[in-house]
Amino acid sequence: MDYKPSNVDEIDKWEEVQLVYKAALKQMRTKLEILSADFAQTHKYNPIEHIEARIKSSESIVKKLKKNGYESTIENMVAKVNDIAGVRIICSFTSDIYRIADILSSQSDIIIISVKDYYKNPKPSGYQSYHMIVSVPIYLSDRVVNVKVEIQIRTVAMDFWATLEHKIRYKFEGNPPRHISESLMECARMVSALDDEMLCLNEEIMRLDAMKEE
Ligand code: 0O2
């Protein structure tokens, strides 16, 4: 059953929403920490560099609802905002993105709601990342609810670019001067070239290692 806020007063409803999304974030974080520890131990290689997790602020949720033309109600927050709980997974190589996405997709309690592949199809801004909206079951005292979590998977280089671009966009309130947007596009191309080169290099190192072991 998809999560819907209980029919209680607004303050209790908001507290329940926060509890449920914090639980979903904790659940997803734990899954990823287990995965990371297992990779490090079993494969002697860990595709997960680090993990970040956050609950979207109420101001940002209201702003997103407004931007998309919805009234600011708690019901709309839950139904229309997919990234109240968000996890970002930073990895080394572009191949790791799909490795992690495949593993998460194969976990039987994770339901994939949607996928946006901004690595294969970067945004016009130059933004690259792999996004999944998933839901995870949360066991409450009287029911089990499926709660949405946004997962962003990207390389260290993509993350570096996205963080800077986000800062610039914020500074210029979404409208940076043209020469800055053009420089960012150029940097995005460099990020893409760097990721491709690093992946080739890593594959070459792995080939040499495999030959040594034969
Ligand atoms: P914040 O402040 O980072 O949370 P949806 O979430 O699917 O309902 P949307 O916005 O179409 O709606 O989803 P999309 O395109 O998958 O983007 C979701 C998030 O990706 C954004 O959340 C950003 O975190 C990140 N993102 C998307 N495009 C860009 C971009 O061009 N530059 C940077 N730096 N990040 C981007 P929010 O809510 O917009 O912002």
Side-chain angles (χ1 to χ4, degrees):
M1 185 180 67
D2 289 342
Y3 171 63
K4 285 196 181 74
S6 306
N7 205 4
V8 288
D9 72 47
E10 293 300 290
I11 294 177
D12 286 345
K13 213 183 266 185
W14 178 237
E15 293 203 334
E16 182 193 276
V17 167
Q18 286 182 299
L19 179 147
V20 162
Y21 280 95
K22 275 185 194 160
L25 207 57
K26 212 184 253 184
Q27 169 112 319
M28 191 50 75
R29 214 193 157 99
T30 304
K31 273 177 176 295
L32 292 167
E33 281 168 3
I34 293 169
L35 202 59
S36 176
D38 178 43
F39 258 111
Q41 176 160 319
T42 315
H43 303 280
K44 296 190 188 88
Y45 167 70
N46 189 351
I48 300 175
E49 283 282 335
H50 68 271
I51 302 161
E52 294 165 13
R54 64 104 181 93
I55 295 285
K56 205 174 182 77
S57 69
S58 48
E59 291 79 12
S60 299
I61 298 173
V62 168
K63 211 164 136 195
K64 197 159 197 172
L65 281 176
K66 220 170 170 183
K67 191 183 99 187
N68 294 329
Y70 297 112
E71 210 187 318
S72 297
T73 63
I74 295 180
E75 282 72 15
N76 277 349
M77 289 178 178
V78 170
K80 311 291 184 194
V81 180
N82 292 327
D83 63 341
I84 294 181
V87 178
R88 188 170 290 153
I89 306 166
I90 314 299
C91 50
S92 305
F93 304 105
T94 49
S95 54
D96 295 333
I97 295 176
Y98 297 103
R99 201 169 182 189
I100 296 164
D102 285 349
I103 292 172
L104 292 176
S105 305
S106 72
Q107 296 197 1
S108 59
D109 56 346
I110 294 184
I111 300 168
I112 310 295
I113 297 172
S114 67
V115 170
K116 290 185 194 166
D117 190 343
Y118 297 127
Y119 166 57
K120 285 197 178 134
N121 303 298
K123 283 198 158 186
S125 61
Y127 178 74
Q128 296 181 74
S129 191
Y130 186 94
H131 293 189
M132 299 166 92
I133 306 291
V134 305
S135 77
V136 284
I138 297 300
Y139 290 78
L140 299 174
S141 55
D142 57 349
R143 61 203 156 118
V144 184
V145 288
N146 292 322
V147 183
K148 284 181 279 187
V149 179
E150 185 194 61
I151 305 174
Q152 299 184 348
I153 317 175
R154 54 171 84 144
T155 63
V156 178
M158 290 174 193
D159 190 52
F160 183 32
W161 183 94
T163 307
L164 180 64
E165 193 265 357
H166 189 268
K167 263 190 224 154
I168 291 173
R169 202 152 31 96
Y170 186 77
K171 190 172 170 61
F172 293 100
E173 290 165 354
N175 241 333
R178 199 162 143 197
H179 72 281
I180 292 189
S181 299
E182 283 170 0
S183 289
L184 277 169
M185 270 309 290
E186 184 51 31
C187 289
R189 280 189 280 274
M190 288 192 251
V191 161
S192 189
L194 177 67
D195 272 335
D196 288 349
E197 196 64 38
M198 296 293 255
L199 180 64
C200 285
L201 207 56
N202 190 50
E203 283 172 349
E204 179 65 19
I205 292 166
M206 289 200 311
R207 255 195 306 275
L208 291 173
D209 276 352
M211 277 164 65
K212 243 193 261 168
E213 278 169 23
E214 278 171 13

PDB file of all heavy atoms in Angstrom, residues 66-79:
ATOM      1  N   LYS A  66       4.533  24.622  -5.557  1.00  0.00           N
ATOM      2  CA  LYS A  66       4.113  25.893  -6.162  1.00  0.00           C
ATOM      3  C   LYS A  66       4.553  25.945  -7.627  1.00  0.00           C
ATOM      4  O   LYS A  66       3.774  26.272  -8.518  1.00  0.00           O
ATOM      5  CB  LYS A  66       4.766  27.036  -5.383  1.00  0.00           C
ATOM      6  CG  LYS A  66       3.857  28.217  -5.164  1.00  0.00           C
ATOM      7  CD  LYS A  66       4.510  29.144  -4.193  1.00  0.00           C
ATOM      8  CE  LYS A  66       3.799  30.462  -4.075  1.00  0.00           C
ATOM      9  NZ  LYS A  66       4.520  31.347  -3.165  1.00  0.00           N
ATOM     10  N   LYS A  67       5.852  25.555  -7.849  1.00  0.00           N
ATOM     11  CA  LYS A  67       6.419  25.582  -9.210  1.00  0.00           C
ATOM     12  C   LYS A  67       5.598  24.701 -10.161  1.00  0.00           C
ATOM     13  O   LYS A  67       5.399  25.032 -11.318  1.00  0.00           O
ATOM     14  CB  LYS A  67       7.875  25.085  -9.150  1.00  0.00           C
ATOM     15  CG  LYS A  67       8.663  25.315 -10.424  1.00  0.00           C
ATOM     16  CD  LYS A  67      10.065  24.759 -10.352  1.00  0.00           C
ATOM     17  CE  LYS A  67      10.122  23.420 -11.043  1.00  0.00           C
ATOM     18  NZ  LYS A  67      11.399  22.723 -10.903  1.00  0.00           N
ATOM     19  N   ASN A  68       5.103  23.572  -9.622  1.00  0.00           N
ATOM     20  CA  ASN A  68       4.342  22.650 -10.474  1.00  0.00           C
ATOM     21  C   ASN A  68       2.833  22.893 -10.430  1.00  0.00           C
ATOM     22  O   ASN A  68       2.059  22.089 -10.946  1.00  0.00           O
ATOM     23  CB  ASN A  68       4.669  21.197 -10.084  1.00  0.00           C
ATOM     24  CG  ASN A  68       6.126  20.866 -10.385  1.00  0.00           C
ATOM     25  OD1 ASN A  68       6.710  21.403 -11.327  1.00  0.00           O
ATOM     26  ND2 ASN A  68       6.731  20.017  -9.592  1.00  0.00           N
ATOM     27  N   GLY A  69       2.439  24.007  -9.788  1.00  0.00           N
ATOM     28  CA  GLY A  69       1.033  24.407  -9.812  1.00  0.00           C
ATOM     29  C   GLY A  69       0.128  23.659  -8.849  1.00  0.00           C
ATOM     30  O   GLY A  69      -1.086  23.581  -9.078  1.00  0.00           O
ATOM     31  N   TYR A  70       0.689  23.114  -7.780  1.00  0.00           N
ATOM     32  CA  TYR A  70      -0.143  22.406  -6.803  1.00  0.00           C
ATOM     33  C   TYR A  70      -0.296  23.226  -5.522  1.00  0.00           C
ATOM     34  O   TYR A  70       0.622  23.946  -5.125  1.00  0.00           O
ATOM     35  CB  TYR A  70       0.478  21.048  -6.434  1.00  0.00           C
ATOM     36  CG  TYR A  70       0.563  20.098  -7.590  1.00  0.00           C
ATOM     37  CD1 TYR A  70       1.810  19.725  -8.115  1.00  0.00           C
ATOM     38  CD2 TYR A  70      -0.583  19.564  -8.173  1.00  0.00           C
ATOM     39  CE1 TYR A  70       1.905  18.866  -9.190  1.00  0.00           C
ATOM     40  CE2 TYR A  70      -0.506  18.697  -9.246  1.00  0.00           C
ATOM     41  CZ  TYR A  70       0.740  18.345  -9.752  1.00  0.00           C
ATOM     42  OH  TYR A  70       0.827  17.498 -10.798  1.00  0.00           O
ATOM     43  N   GLU A  71      -1.423  23.028  -4.876  1.00  0.00           N
ATOM     44  CA  GLU A  71      -1.698  23.669  -3.593  1.00  0.00           C
ATOM     45  C   GLU A  71      -0.780  23.056  -2.524  1.00  0.00           C
ATOM     46  O   GLU A  71      -0.470  21.847  -2.601  1.00  0.00           O
ATOM     47  CB  GLU A  71      -3.161  23.364  -3.247  1.00  0.00           C
ATOM     48  CG  GLU A  71      -3.865  24.408  -2.428  1.00  0.00           C
ATOM     49  CD  GLU A  71      -5.237  23.893  -2.013  1.00  0.00           C
ATOM     50  OE1 GLU A  71      -5.900  23.284  -2.871  1.00  0.00           O
ATOM     51  OE2 GLU A  71      -5.608  24.081  -0.852  1.00  0.00           O
ATOM     52  N   SER A  72      -0.370  23.874  -1.540  1.00  0.00           N
ATOM     53  CA  SER A  72       0.538  23.348  -0.494  1.00  0.00           C
ATOM     54  C   SER A  72      -0.226  22.604   0.590  1.00  0.00           C
ATOM     55  O   SER A  72      -0.494  23.155   1.654  1.00  0.00           O
ATOM     56  CB  SER A  72       1.322  24.497   0.145  1.00  0.00           C
ATOM     57  OG  SER A  72       2.119  25.086  -0.804  1.00  0.00           O
ATOM     58  N   THR A  73      -0.591  21.359   0.304  1.00  0.00           N
ATOM     59  CA  THR A  73      -1.228  20.528   1.332  1.00  0.00           C
ATOM     60  C   THR A  73      -0.298  19.350   1.622  1.00  0.00           C
ATOM     61  O   THR A  73       0.544  18.994   0.775  1.00  0.00           O
ATOM     62  CB  THR A  73      -2.578  19.963   0.850  1.00  0.00           C
ATOM     63  OG1 THR A  73      -2.306  19.103  -0.280  1.00  0.00           O
ATOM     64  CG2 THR A  73      -3.549  21.054   0.444  1.00  0.00           C
ATOM     65  N   ILE A  74      -0.473  18.763   2.793  1.00  0.00           N
ATOM     66  CA  ILE A  74       0.384  17.622   3.143  1.00  0.00           C
ATOM     67  C   ILE A  74       0.114  16.453   2.185  1.00  0.00           C
ATOM     68  O   ILE A  74       1.041  15.759   1.763  1.00  0.00           O
ATOM     69  CB  ILE A  74       0.197  17.250   4.631  1.00  0.00           C
ATOM     70  CG1 ILE A  74       0.707  18.420   5.485  1.00  0.00           C
ATOM     71  CG2 ILE A  74       0.919  15.949   4.961  1.00  0.00           C
ATOM     72  CD1 ILE A  74       0.596  18.243   6.976  1.00  0.00           C
ATOM     73  N   GLU A  75      -1.146  16.284   1.789  1.00  0.00           N
ATOM     74  CA  GLU A  75      -1.495  15.203   0.848  1.00  0.00           C
ATOM     75  C   GLU A  75      -0.752  15.398  -0.485  1.00  0.00           C
ATOM     76  O   GLU A  75      -0.208  14.448  -1.051  1.00  0.00           O
ATOM     77  CB  GLU A  75      -3.017  15.160   0.586  1.00  0.00           C
ATOM     78  CG  GLU A  75      -3.843  14.525   1.680  1.00  0.00           C
ATOM     79  CD  GLU A  75      -3.947  15.394   2.937  1.00  0.00           C
ATOM     80  OE1 GLU A  75      -3.625  16.600   2.865  1.00  0.00           O
ATOM     81  OE2 GLU A  75      -4.345  14.851   3.990  1.00  0.00           O
ATOM     82  N   ASN A  76      -0.700  16.653  -0.978  1.00  0.00           N
ATOM     83  CA  ASN A  76       0.012  16.926  -2.238  1.00  0.00           C
ATOM     84  C   ASN A  76       1.509  16.708  -2.087  1.00  0.00           C
ATOM     85  O   ASN A  76       2.177  16.239  -3.011  1.00  0.00           O
ATOM     86  CB  ASN A  76      -0.260  18.358  -2.707  1.00  0.00           C
ATOM     87  CG  ASN A  76      -1.560  18.469  -3.474  1.00  0.00           C
ATOM     88  OD1 ASN A  76      -2.165  17.450  -3.828  1.00  0.00           O
ATOM     89  ND2 ASN A  76      -2.008  19.685  -3.725  1.00  0.00           N
ATOM     90  N   MET A  77       2.058  17.045  -0.909  1.00  0.00           N
ATOM     91  CA  MET A  77       3.500  16.829  -0.691  1.00  0.00           C
ATOM     92  C   MET A  77       3.824  15.357  -0.917  1.00  0.00           C
ATOM     93  O   MET A  77       4.770  15.003  -1.623  1.00  0.00           O
ATOM     94  CB  MET A  77       3.896  17.192   0.743  1.00  0.00           C
ATOM     95  CG  MET A  77       3.854  18.677   1.013  1.00  0.00           C
ATOM     96  SD  MET A  77       4.267  18.993   2.737  1.00  0.00           S
ATOM     97  CE  MET A  77       4.216  20.766   2.747  1.00  0.00           C
ATOM     98  N   VAL A  78       3.013  14.494  -0.300  1.00  0.00           N
ATOM     99  CA  VAL A  78       3.277  13.058  -0.382  1.00  0.00           C
ATOM    100  C   VAL A  78       2.995  12.519  -1.782  1.00  0.00           C
ATOM    101  O   VAL A  78       3.760  11.709  -2.317  1.00  0.00           O
ATOM    102  CB  VAL A  78       2.421  12.320   0.695  1.00  0.00           C
ATOM    103  CG1 VAL A  78       2.466  10.821   0.499  1.00  0.00           C
ATOM    104  CG2 VAL A  78       2.904  12.707   2.089  1.00  0.00           C
ATOM    105  N   ALA A  79       1.916  13.009  -2.400  1.00  0.00           N
ATOM    106  CA  ALA A  79       1.531  12.464  -3.711  1.00  0.00           C
ATOM    107  C   ALA A  79       2.371  13.033  -4.854  1.00  0.00           C
ATOM    108  O   ALA A  79       2.668  12.323  -5.821  1.00  0.00           O
ATOM    109  CB  ALA A  79       0.051  12.743  -3.956  1.00  0.00           C
TER     110      ALA A  79
END
